[in-house]
Amino acid sequence: MKKMVGSIRYGLASLRRRAGEILKDEEGMGTVEVILIILVLIGLVIIFKSQLTDLVESIFDKITKQAGTI
């Protein structure tokens, strides 16, 4: 019985140690994830192109108008 309890404790300690290693792993994102993020961003730009253009033009107009007051 004591052997089995010791074995279970060792297994749990090993599992905790391995889980900690996995959580601390900082290899970074893979190529597929980066490509998917880029594709989603490009899709959003295509979908909201006119709204983004209007927003940027509005911002630059405000900057131009307020630049003379400085």
Side-chain angles (χ1 to χ4, degrees):
M1 184 70 173
K2 287 185 179 184
K3 271 189 170 180
M4 188 168 37
V5 171
S7 177
I8 291 173
R9 284 185 181 166
Y10 177 78
L12 288 174
S14 175
L15 183 63
R16 281 189 206 139
R17 205 171 30 254
R18 181 68 182 134
E21 290 172 4
I22 291 172
L23 291 174
K24 291 179 183 178
D25 187 19
E26 296 182 11
E27 287 185 17
M29 292 190 298
T31 305
V32 175
E33 289 89 354
V34 173
I35 291 173
L36 288 174
I37 290 170
I38 291 171
L39 287 176
V40 168
L41 290 175
I42 290 172
L44 289 172
V45 168
I46 290 172
I47 291 171
F48 297 108
K49 182 181 177 181
S50 63
Q51 290 93 339
L52 289 171
T53 304
D54 292 341
L55 177 66
V56 171
E57 287 176 358
S58 171
I59 291 171
F60 279 121
D61 286 342
K62 287 182 182 180
I63 291 172
T64 305
K65 289 177 185 176
Q66 294 180 359
T69 61
I70 294 179

